[in-house]
Amino acid sequence: MAKAAFIGLGIMGYPMAGHLIKNGHEVTVHNRTRSKAEKWRGEFGGRMAATPREAAEGAEIVLTCVGDDPDVERVVLGEDGVFAGLGAGRIYVDHTTGSAELARKLAAMGKERGIEVVDAPVSGGQAGAENGALSIMCGGEEGVFERARPVMESYAKACSLIGPNGAGQLTKMVNQICIAGLVQGLAEALNFGMKAGLDMDKVVAAISKGAAQSWQMENRAGTMCKGEFEFGFPVDWMRKDLRICTQEARSNGARLPVAALVDQFYAMVQARKGSRWDTSSLIHLLMYD
Amino acid sequence: MAKAAFIGLGIMGYPMAGHLIKNGHEVTVHNRTRSKAEKWRGEFGGRMAATPREAAEGAEIVLTCVGDDPDVERVVLGEDGVFAGLGAGRIYVDHTTGSAELARKLAAMGKERGIEVVDAPVSGGQAGAENGALSIMCGGEEGVFERARPVMESYAKACSLIGPNGAGQLTKMVNQICIAGLVQGLAEALNFGMKAGLDMDKVVAAISKGAAQSWQMENRAGTMCKGEFEFGFPVDWMRKDLRICTQEARSNGARLPVAALVDQFYAMVQARKGSRWDTSSLIHLLMYD
């Protein structure tokens, strides 16, 4: 069992840190808003630290799950950051979905201090975090990954090393680019079927075993047709991810014609006050126009 | 067992008619190019007719699987067409993917003659036809559908009635619109991953159980990354289907921003001599540019 610190008790981090302690690890938490850390300690026990640095002191592994690149930099770097407290030979794992560029930069900065770094964005959403069934895609060195893996498996159903630092983030981007085109296609198709007057339950039953099948169809077609979006993975987060994808694509030369267009559609969903709606709300633009 | 006639012995119809006779039905075939019908008779037995009308005479059920709306009209209507030979109370099933408008028109014209009509486009491709594992989505009256179903089940793993005449075609369009967005999203994602230098086998293994999962990812990611497109569902056919989708959308008011864009991408694939390539060849535009 490891001495672990978990930083960032949001929708994802809160239950992830809970699984850590339930799996027998010794857990210290830190959260920018202190009251959430107090709530977490009330529910799970463990310790609470005033700063990321304090959380990291004495820890064998520090895990973070915050919002975006600047949040990660604030938590990790600087006087009160993780790197100021974490000892040489220890491991820092970042579960935030962020840029591969930052993942590589942190790995290089960690190396100077003898700190091992793994970028480890997750998929599976809030339900995956709560059920301890996330998929984690990692970038880093194999020996380091193998040391961190048993800790991450507290809340993962799958945890894999894809390549060197940054590869975890890049894999998450591949995932999000798939989803952008896929959900838009599904939205257009379901809206078309409804406009054509079809019984969509029958339609989905008929096509959901063949070449159009997808997780999104199986899990979202019903709510999309009903216009229910108050759950799931928020549009704001998806736009953040697509921003990272399109930025990375500028440097690696990949074109993303549909992902970039879908990002603009999500901007339209935001304009409809849908910032917190699920990613599947793309169909709102087609249904109500 | 039924006295059946099957018209159109193409990549799909040839094995479908073969399954019919293997399942004990009495089968008469007709094909525009006579040599194919002769080849079929050499392989399976059965009878051969000189015209669709002759094939329909004495049949209890006539099934067609040809190319496009004009082909269906040529085979069904006119002096030598199916309707000229088929008796009152008999059933005509069209497996061609075509417009809902034509499906409704043929149903109305059939009704005047006492002929029952079912539109029944299929999915599952050449492999599905050969293995007798197609999915069939039908439009028509329930009693008629139930009479036709045991015949169609000779080559289907699933056969469902969605609604009135035209509903089968509309369901197939929903299927194809899903695929258009989905395959483009997958193509952008895989190309992005390759340009980023990722080991794509590891990436696909890591993301293929989650929210980005699809039949296309499971069955096409490997060939897409290798640039293999000489198989599967041809771009020319997909463009025909997307033409039907966009035409129907003009009348039902559904917008198809990505499906229409993807249709244009397929036009670019055609310009690269990819008319016969599989639908997954959208990635060619991103990989080789």
Side-chain angles (χ1 to χ4, degrees), chain B residues 14 22 37-45:
Chain B
Y14 190 99
K22 284 187 274 181
E38 283 165 351
K39 179 167 180 267
W40 187 91
R41 197 176 49 172
E43 186 172 345
F44 296 105

Side-chain angles (χ1 to χ4, degrees), chain A residues 10-11 17 31 89-90 94 112-113 122 141 145 178 183 205 240 271 288:
Chain A
I11 289 173
N31 193 66
R90 307 309 197 182
D94 184 19
E112 290 171 13
R113 292 162 173 77
V122 305
E141 290 172 19
F145 168 76
C178 282
V183 172
K240 181 203 82 170
Y288 306 112

Side-chain angles (χ1 to χ4, degrees), chain B residues 72-83 105-106 109:
Chain B
V72 173
E73 291 196 276
R74 198 186 55 245
V75 160
V76 175
L77 307 177
E79 221 172 277
D80 285 326
V82 170
F83 280 2
K105 176 180 148 185
L106 292 180
M109 292 176 74

